[in-house]
Amino acid sequence: MEKILIVDDEKDLFWTITNLLNDEGYTLMVANDGKNALIQIKDASPDLVILDLKLPDINGIDLLSKIKEIDSNIPVVILTAYGEVSSAVSAMKMGAIDYIIKPFDINELRSSIKKALHIRDISLNRKTKGERLRGSQDSEGLIGNSPQIHNIIEQIKIVALSDMTVLIQGESGTGKDLAAKLLHSNSSRSHKPFVTVDCGTLPESLIESEMFGYEKGAFTGAEKTKVGIFELANGGTIFLNEIGNLSESAQRKFLGILENRQLQRLGGKKAIDVDVRVIAATNLPLKGAVKDGKFRQDLFFRLSQLFIYIPPLRYRVEDILPLAKYFLNKANLEIKKEVKTISPEAEKKLLLYPWPGNVRELKNAIKRAELMAKDSTIRMEDLSFDFESEGTLNASCSHLDLAKDVDHQFRIDVRKAMNELEREVIRKALAQAHGNKKKAAEILGIRRSTIYYKMESLGMKTDE
């Protein structure tokens, strides 16, 4: 039974929430100030804290910081009538899970509580499995400082705990196979086989016999029974790389395995049970193949229960130099050289190049440069790739601009989200004040003229 601590100096609030959540099965506790809240958090270790930002003895943001110092895994939901956007942003930056403004809707509160407890469970499971991803020292394609890579690592941490089918999409060379290996090594199947099938290089005539196996005499040359790849992966994970190359017949049989967890060897008459987790990857959008009738829609839906997208290297410029330095250190061990640095001019050349071959191409370029280096530094002349065509030169100049465009678009999206949050705050304040703008302004702690200005700038109608 989860314990929820409500930190608020309004006595009526505790009883209101108690009555509303009475049938939810939670153990509810209350603290009317920050000092008492910290004592209960240390002594009782609640599973969730519902925190008012306005307390008699301490600022709610400061209390949130102290809670995170005691236990960073305790989820905190902010509950306050003082719904200024700056407070909301500060609370979320400090680690709050959610932000709800009084008067609150009970369904909104229930949803927020369930989300917070679910995130806590995932975090605790991750702690049990180890904070760092197992096998992360080999995740060379997933190193960097970009938000995209950080997001992918977080996705892998969470998705690895599930046993659901995963579809990984990304251009060739982005590290889809590395993501698949990390998913396996951090799952409950890590002690079982991880089997890779490259559907792009396996001849179509051999796909079914290799994947599903065959019985003796099933076809000319089948002199003995052969166990297929799915059976070899039993209990573990099978990684189907470039799954878009599967034939229609193989797609149909593969769908049957996903639905029934059974297969039938070529020439066989009995069904064989298999217990495998399936991770598939493609360098082309499968939705287009479905639309063109080249890939089964039902199989696509089965494969994409969970989805991970790995963007190309040219869209995450922040990762180029960290990856280059990682590959440099790795090449030192392989080649037995002591090349320790990359000159500023060489770094600039690395950043300007669009990397059509993605991480794989960068790895090879650094290894070649290390071989060519005359001393302990890689210089621009040691990098052998060239901007040979106008198209490549244009790409090299534009991919940094694209990164700037992405950043600009991100700021636009944030501004839109913040505007919508301000609209929602004003709507709720007006609802609480029964449409009286002066009272709504008092609830929000702003001047009446400010609320008129905000409504006009946000395009809100005066009678909204």
Side-chain angles (χ1 to χ4, degrees):
M1 184 179 292
E2 291 97 344
K3 293 177 289 186
I4 300 177
L5 173 63
I6 303 165
V7 186
D8 197 296
D9 60 341
E10 295 181 30
K11 294 180 180 179
D12 292 341
L13 180 70
F14 174 72
W15 299 113
T16 300
I17 294 179
T18 300
N19 290 330
L20 291 172
L21 300 179
N22 194 40
D23 299 327
E24 303 291 329
Y26 303 122
T27 297
L28 299 176
M29 306 180 295
V30 65
N32 55 17
D33 57 35
K35 182 179 179 181
N36 188 249
L38 292 174
I39 292 172
Q40 293 199 54
I41 289 169
K42 290 176 182 177
D43 294 344
S45 299
D47 300 294
L48 169 65
V49 175
I50 297 176
L51 171 64
D52 193 332
L53 286 182
K54 190 172 179 62
L55 297 169
D57 62 337
I58 187 173
N59 179 279
I61 297 294
D62 293 335
L63 181 57
L64 174 61
S65 177
K66 292 180 182 295
I67 291 171
K68 290 297 179 181
E69 287 177 8
I70 295 170
D71 187 349
S72 61
N73 287 317
I74 295 179
V76 178
V77 173
I78 301 299
L79 185 65
T80 180
Y82 297 84
E84 292 183 277
V85 172
S86 58
S87 298
V89 173
S90 297
M92 299 302 280
K93 284 182 178 179
M94 292 294 295
I97 293 292
D98 208 352
Y99 189 89
I100 300 176
I101 302 167
K102 304 174 189 176
F104 55 83
D105 178 79
I106 183 56
N107 291 325
E108 182 183 8
L109 181 63
R110 283 196 183 104
S111 175
S112 182
I113 289 172
K114 288 180 179 178
K115 179 177 76 173
L117 290 173
H118 177 64
I119 291 172
R120 175 184 178 275
D121 290 342
I122 290 174
S123 179
L124 289 177
N125 284 335
R126 191 186 304 155
K127 283 279 187 183
T128 302
K129 293 172 71 61
E131 274 300 324
R132 292 191 63 187
L133 281 172
R134 288 200 294 269
S136 59
Q137 67 273 17
D138 299 321
S139 58
E140 56 193 33
L142 303 175
I143 291 171
N145 300 323
S146 69
Q148 298 99 313
I149 282 299
H150 290 168
N151 182 52
I152 289 168
I153 294 297
E154 286 304 310
Q155 280 185 283
I156 290 174
K157 287 178 181 178
I158 295 171
V159 171
L161 302 177
S162 165
D163 212 25
M164 297 171 71
T165 302
V166 183
L167 179 62
I168 305 172
Q169 185 175 307
E171 290 183 7
S172 179
T174 51
K176 299 186 293 294
D177 56 335
L178 297 170
K181 289 175 183 175
L182 277 178
L183 281 168
H184 172 73
S185 62
N186 288 273
S187 73
S188 59
R189 297 175 179 267
S190 58
H191 60 292
K192 296 290 186 178
F194 176 83
V195 180
T196 298
V197 181
D198 194 335
C199 303
T201 59
L202 193 63
E204 185 175 334
S205 59
L206 297 179
I207 286 179
E208 292 188 50
S209 61
E210 289 294 319
M211 292 180 68
F212 311 123
Y214 53 82
E215 298 288 348
K216 180 180 178 180
F219 50 83
T220 303
E223 299 178 355
K224 59 181 180 179
T225 297
K226 179 178 179 178
V227 174
I229 292 171
F230 268 95
E231 288 182 77
L232 291 174
N234 197 35
T237 303
I238 187 166
F239 174 52
L240 301 174
N241 199 11
E242 304 308 341
I243 194 170
N245 291 302
L246 284 180
S247 66
E248 199 283 329
S249 174
Q251 289 179 38
R252 186 177 65 254
K253 290 191 175 184
F254 181 46
L255 178 64
I257 294 175
L258 286 178
E259 290 179 337
N260 306 315
R261 298 296 167 179
Q262 290 183 329
L263 63 81
Q264 192 169 311
R265 295 174 186 157
L266 292 176
K269 296 182 179 179
K270 69 172 185 176
I272 300 171
D273 294 329
V274 287
D275 172 28
V276 293
R277 182 186 193 175
V278 174
I279 301 174
T282 175
N283 64 1
L284 296 172
L286 284 185
K287 282 186 178 180
V290 170
K291 188 176 180 180
D292 295 338
K294 296 178 180 178
F295 200 85
R296 294 178 65 104
Q297 186 178 51
D298 47 5
L299 177 55
F300 171 72
F301 288 139
R302 280 281 180 178
L303 288 171
S304 54
Q305 289 178 333
L306 295 169
F307 179 80
I308 294 175
Y309 171 67
I310 305 179
L313 189 56
R314 62 185 175 276
Y315 291 170
R316 40 190 182 95
V317 181
E318 309 98 309
D319 299 337
I320 293 174
L321 295 183
L323 280 165
K325 289 169 184 176
Y326 171 83
F327 291 136
L328 178 60
N329 292 332
K330 196 169 183 180
N332 272 325
L333 296 175
E334 294 177 6
I335 305 173
K336 309 298 184 189
K337 288 185 73 173
E338 289 294 327
V339 180
K340 297 179 179 179
T341 59
I342 303 173
S343 73
E345 295 78 14
E347 287 186 346
K348 184 177 180 181
K349 187 173 181 179
L350 290 172
L351 289 171
L352 283 173
Y353 187 64
W355 301 109
N358 292 297
V359 178
R360 186 185 297 127
E361 184 183 9
L362 175 61
K363 179 181 179 180
N364 293 334
I366 294 298
K367 196 169 184 177
R368 287 195 303 269
E370 175 145 8
L371 283 169
M372 299 299 295
K374 299 176 180 64
D375 52 31
S376 62
T377 300
I378 288 178
R379 306 187 189 282
M380 190 165 65
E381 57 269 23
D382 299 324
L383 295 168
S384 60
F385 58 84
D386 291 306
F387 305 102
E388 293 177 351
S389 67
E390 184 179 351
T392 303
L393 181 59
N394 288 337
S396 70
C397 295
S398 66
H399 83 286
L400 287 175
D401 292 334
L402 177 58
K404 293 177 183 177
D405 290 342
V406 170
D407 182 56
H408 176 64
Q409 184 60 46
F410 175 74
R411 291 195 295 270
I412 291 173
D413 292 341
V414 169
R415 183 66 260 169
K416 286 181 179 178
M418 295 300 289
N419 287 344
E420 187 54 42
L421 179 58
E422 287 186 341
R423 289 190 192 95
E424 186 63 22
V425 168
I426 293 172
R427 288 192 193 104
K428 287 188 175 183
L430 287 169
Q432 186 178 359
H434 303 291
N436 187 308
K437 294 180 181 61
K438 182 179 179 181
K439 289 183 179 179
E442 290 174 357
I443 291 171
L444 295 173
I446 60 178
R447 296 179 180 180
R448 182 170 60 175
S449 59
T450 301
I451 199 169
Y452 278 102
Y453 168 76
K454 280 289 183 184
M455 290 182 70
E456 182 179 353
S457 64
L458 294 170
M460 298 177 68
K461 298 178 180 178
T462 55
D463 59 346
E464 188 167 343

